[in-house]
Amino acid sequence: MAETHSLQDLQQPAASSKVFVQRDYGSGTISKFQTKFPSELESRIDKQQFEETIQTLNNLYAEAEKLGGKSYLEGCLACLTAYTVFLCMETHYEKVLKKISRYIKDQNEKIYAPRGLLLTDPIERGLRVVEITIFEDRNIGSGR
Amino acid sequence: MKNCEYQQIDPRALPTPTPTPPPHLGHDSDKTEEPKRRPRRKWQVFPGNNRFYCDGRIIMARQSGVLPLTLGLILITSVLFFIFDCPFLVKHLTSCIPVIGGGLFVFVVITLLQTSLTDPGILPRATPDEAADIEKQINNPGNTGYRPPPRTKEIIINQQMVKLKYCFTCKMFRPPRTSHCSLCDNCVERFDHHCPWVGNCVGKRNYRFFYAFIVSLSFLTAFIFGCVTTHLALRAQGGKGLVFALQESPGSAVELVICFFAVWSILGLSGFHTYLVASNLTTNEDIKGSWSGKSEEHVTNPYSHKNIFINCCSVLCGPMPPSLIDRRGLLPADESVQTAGVDIVLPTLATKNVCTQGTKGLLESATIPPLLSTSCPQGKPPSAHTCPDSGPAVNSDPSPELPTSCGARHTASSHGDNSPPRHAKTRSKKSKRAALHIPNPSFEVPVSPTSPDAGPSSKRRGHEGASFASLH
């Protein structure tokens, strides 16, 4: 009996459900996610912690899309070179996206994975949603 | 029961979770790809109506429209200019002329190619999980027999009420300013229009290239026109006459004709887009009058920065957003991808939203079969030669009833090709009438200029449209 029980666990991966944090368009078309705490995560993580993660992400995206001196300079230079400079240079946006990627990986390792959660980088979902996968923790049950 | 090929994946080690379903008996060796087969890239399973080159680096719409014609005209005019006019002008005026001309020509071609070959801002379709989540939220126990009623969500942006529509093809609520292009079968961010002259949609990512293209093209055509006129005037001096000048330099006559018609339309188009850039509007919004304040309430454009300079800078020099569709990413071997075949392609709806912007002479559109030309609402009144059939680009924001009835009756139409029957519930009733006239004058149809709104009569006209479509 115990054997089939553990085999069952082996065959079935940890069950998971997904929660999607949608975009917040209240300030226009800029990339910003809703900071509303999803009810499915209530048992897993602090509301404060979650909001801090989302807020940091929002700030990073705002930095990527900021209209300022640096981005204008980049734009003008690109225009003068008939935009061929985009072929060789990494844009400011891309650099910030890499930063976001590192931040998410970092958050996953430190905070979310120990709680059985996994954040997916929004860029892999077309910047539409922040996908959070909730893994059912079976180890507690079967690890005897 | 233990299966050797099953891979236990530690979810915590994965950067992106791809939950593998438990393998079924005996099918694994056939179903999972053998490791020695090269993994496919995402562009190979892309569900939209696009073509990819250079292993996913270059993206174009499936129908290249009149891009070859555009390129051809620019090349021919410029080559004739360099052959016939430049030598004379260099001798009599200054050698700067070919330099300026050459520089403009190179700039025009580069920006044209960038407009055509860049991802305009395509939004990838929602994953099945996301779509299911949205369905749950909407909580609509719709019947399976027909499409559920269209879904909208209202949000407030800068004190303006904006409606977000649900895209049935991409299975998500479209972000603001996003529209679904039925020719390319993609949702495009900040959708401006689908331009057949460049063979691609114009959206968030390539609008600046498009603008640079039309502005530099207007400079180029004006420059060539001016040079040719000067050249012919100089040659005709001394009482020799224009005919003599033209005989000596026949290429100039061709250039003159092309440039004369091009200059007005391209200049008009550049002016129009300069206005759009300065007010941070898209062609789509301008045509639909979204922010023109036609209702009683005070309606303004919520996306405008209220300052012309800032608007221009943000549209043209703002940060360049990345492509969201990850064309060159590798597919995981066992991921089941959304296939395009499953989705019902929304038939193109006949709201003509721009298409041949800057018709390079209505004369040309008259000679080109109705396939290509459509009405240009931009400065010229729609010509009688417009045809709502396969050419037009649409942004699908018609009245909500249409997708319902279309979807019920027309299933799995082919991508963008010869047109599923259109309901001509449209802005330009003239073109519907024109379409009925063009192909088969002997067809005894009492064509009334009213748009087919009434129920049974609309169906009848829809079928008539179908018969005409098949004639094409």
Side-chain angles (χ1 to χ4, degrees):
Chain A
M1 209 51 177
E3 184 120 1
T4 46
H5 196 64
S6 64
L7 272 176
Q8 257 181 344
D9 285 334
L10 274 180
Q11 284 199 340
Q12 289 171 19
S16 61
S17 61
K18 295 190 187 187
V19 179
F20 296 97
V21 177
Q22 300 284 342
R23 283 271 294 269
D24 173 10
Y25 295 114
S27 325
T29 50
I30 58 167
S31 298
K32 194 173 168 198
F33 293 95
Q34 294 176 356
T35 47
K36 191 170 79 88
F37 187 58
S39 50
E40 294 92 332
L41 297 179
E42 261 163 24
S43 54
R44 298 282 192 141
I45 191 169
D46 256 350
K47 182 173 169 188
Q48 185 111 2
Q49 185 67 61
F50 172 79
E51 279 177 7
E52 198 188 302
T53 308
I54 301 289
Q55 196 55 51
T56 312
L57 280 178
N58 286 342
N59 291 342
L60 285 168
Y61 282 115
E63 186 196 322
E65 296 176 355
K66 193 171 69 132
L67 298 171
K70 190 166 178 224
S71 73
Y72 290 153
L73 208 60
E74 197 183 59
C76 287
L77 173 70
C79 181
L80 289 173
T81 60
Y83 299 107
T84 48
V85 75
F86 286 145
L87 298 169
C88 24
M89 202 178 78
E90 195 183 52
T91 64
H92 172 66
Y93 205 118
E94 284 166 353
K95 289 189 188 124
V96 178
L97 282 180
K98 288 202 172 143
K99 202 161 138 190
I100 291 174
S101 231
R102 286 194 299 268
Y103 173 74
I104 289 185
K105 187 159 169 243
D106 186 60
Q107 289 279 292
N108 271 336
E109 279 169 11
K110 295 202 181 120
I111 301 176
Y112 288 86
R115 293 171 168 81
L117 299 171
L118 189 67
L119 287 179
T120 305
D121 194 337
I123 195 73
E124 297 183 25
R125 297 288 179 263
L127 289 183
R128 288 186 307 265
V129 287
V130 177
E131 186 180 298
I132 305 172
T133 316
I134 306 173
F135 293 100
E136 293 300 318
D137 215 353
R138 300 223 169 169
N139 292 338
I140 301 171
S142 64
R144 261 163 236 183
Chain B
M1 282 300 235
K2 216 169 158 195
N3 195 333
C4 310
E5 289 188 32
Y6 178 67
Q7 293 167 356
Q8 180 99 10
I9 299 174
D10 178 11
R12 285 158 202 182
L14 273 183
T16 49
T18 50
T20 51
H24 299 291
L25 316 165
H27 296 304
D28 304 54
S29 48
D30 299 324
K31 210 164 126 182
T32 58
E33 295 180 18
E34 292 84 23
K36 45 186 179 290
R37 227 175 100 183
R38 214 158 40 109
R40 294 195 296 170
R41 293 198 186 264
K42 289 184 185 170
W43 66 265
Q44 292 171 300
V45 297
F46 185 70
N49 218 1
N50 292 91
R51 280 189 283 186
F52 298 89
Y53 301 105
C54 293
D55 200 20
R57 288 179 183 89
I58 291 176
I59 176 173
M60 283 181 73
R62 184 162 295 275
Q63 302 166 331
S64 60
V66 284
L67 174 64
L69 177 69
T70 312
L71 267 172
L73 279 172
I74 295 173
L75 272 171
I76 289 174
T77 313
S78 306
V79 163
L80 287 175
F81 173 71
F82 287 122
I83 294 177
F84 285 96
D85 300 284
C86 278
F88 183 89
L89 288 170
V90 163
K91 204 163 54 161
H92 290 81
L93 280 180
T94 163
S95 57
C96 279
I97 290 185
V99 173
I100 298 175
L104 277 174
F105 170 69
V106 166
F107 196 87
V108 163
V109 171
I110 290 180
T111 47
L112 170 61
L113 290 176
Q114 288 189 319
T115 313
S116 303
L117 307 177
T118 307
D119 168 16
I122 296 175
L123 271 180
R125 298 188 183 184
T127 56
D129 293 318
E130 272 178 71
D133 186 66
I134 294 179
E135 293 271 343
K136 222 170 36 180
Q137 282 175 20
I138 296 175
N139 198 20
N140 186 3
N143 306 333
T144 50
Y146 60 91
R147 222 183 268 272
R151 304 151 175 176
T152 55
K153 206 159 61 167
E154 285 178 2
I155 54 172
I156 308 280
I157 299 180
N158 288 338
Q159 289 99 44
Q160 295 290 325
M161 208 261 299
V162 176
K163 252 193 192 163
L164 301 185
K165 297 196 177 151
Y166 182 79
C167 181
F168 287 102
T169 313
C170 304
K171 302 226 177 2
M172 59 178 176
F173 279 98
R174 285 185 212 128
R177 308 191 101 174
T178 301
S179 215
H180 190 96
C181 175
S182 52
L183 280 182
C184 303
D185 202 23
N186 291 314
C187 271
V188 177
E189 284 191 295
R190 202 184 183 278
F191 180 78
D192 195 87
H193 66 285
H194 181 102
C195 187
W197 294 98
V198 304
N200 201 3
C201 286
V202 177
K204 184 160 93 167
R205 295 187 75 242
N206 66 351
Y207 186 74
R208 63 191 74 193
F209 305 146
F210 176 74
Y211 185 75
F213 166 61
I214 55 176
V215 168
S216 54
L217 185 61
S218 40
F219 278 126
L220 179 68
T221 44
F223 180 73
I224 292 182
F225 187 69
C227 287
V228 168
T229 315
T230 313
H231 173 205
L232 291 174
L234 287 175
R235 272 201 199 259
Q237 261 176 355
K240 294 186 192 151
L242 184 60
V243 178
F244 171 76
L246 284 174
Q247 277 172 347
E248 291 223 314
S249 177
S252 304
V254 176
E255 293 171 59
L256 210 55
V257 168
I258 295 179
C259 286
F260 181 72
F261 292 108
V263 138
W264 305 116
S265 30
I266 304 283
L267 267 178
L269 188 65
S270 305
F272 174 68
H273 276 279
T274 307
Y275 155 71
L276 288 182
V277 163
S279 23
N280 202 333
L281 278 174
T282 62
T283 306
N284 201 11
E285 288 165 352
D286 186 71
I287 286 185
K288 291 194 315 194
S290 314
W291 314 118
S292 64
K294 53 183 191 246
S295 54
E296 317 80 57
E297 307 130 46
H298 180 57
V299 173
T300 59
N301 181 5
Y303 313 109
S304 167
H305 297 102
K306 313 288 184 224
N307 175 325
I308 290 182
F309 183 66
I310 297 182
N311 278 341
C312 291
C313 286
S314 75
V315 175
L316 301 174
C317 307
M320 181 70 178
S323 174
L324 295 174
I325 54 177
D326 190 23
R327 305 183 286 278
R328 289 177 46 78
L330 292 170
L331 276 177
D334 44 6
E335 183 176 84
S336 60
V337 293
Q338 321 168 17
T339 48
V342 178
D343 296 316
I344 292 174
V345 175
L346 275 181
T348 312
L349 302 152
T351 34
K352 260 156 294 290
N353 236 349
V354 206
C355 193
T356 50
Q357 286 211 339
T359 38
K360 247 182 182 194
L362 292 174
L363 290 182
E364 287 173 10
S365 65
T367 54
I368 293 170
L371 197 71
L372 298 171
S373 57
T374 61
S375 62
C376 175
Q378 306 233 323
K380 310 206 152 83
S383 77
H385 297 282
T386 56
C387 175
D389 278 316
S390 37
V394 175
N395 93 5
S396 55
D397 277 328
S399 79
E401 287 74 51
L402 277 168
T404 317
S405 56
C406 284
R409 289 200 272 131
H410 312 300
T411 57
S413 49
S414 65
H415 287 264
D417 287 359
N418 295 346
S419 36
R422 295 219 177 169
H423 300 280
K425 182 168 182 167
T426 154
R427 301 158 189 274
S428 51
K429 305 162 190 171
K430 250 195 258 181
S431 32
K432 166 76 171 171
R433 207 183 332 144
L436 289 170
H437 280 147
I438 290 174
N440 194 350
S442 62
F443 199 96
E444 291 299 303
V445 175
V447 180
S448 73
T450 58
S451 72
D453 280 325
S457 61
S458 76
K459 288 192 178 55
R460 182 167 56 81
R461 285 212 183 82
H463 289 302
E464 283 161 11
S467 63
F468 281 110
S470 60
L471 281 177
H472 286 289

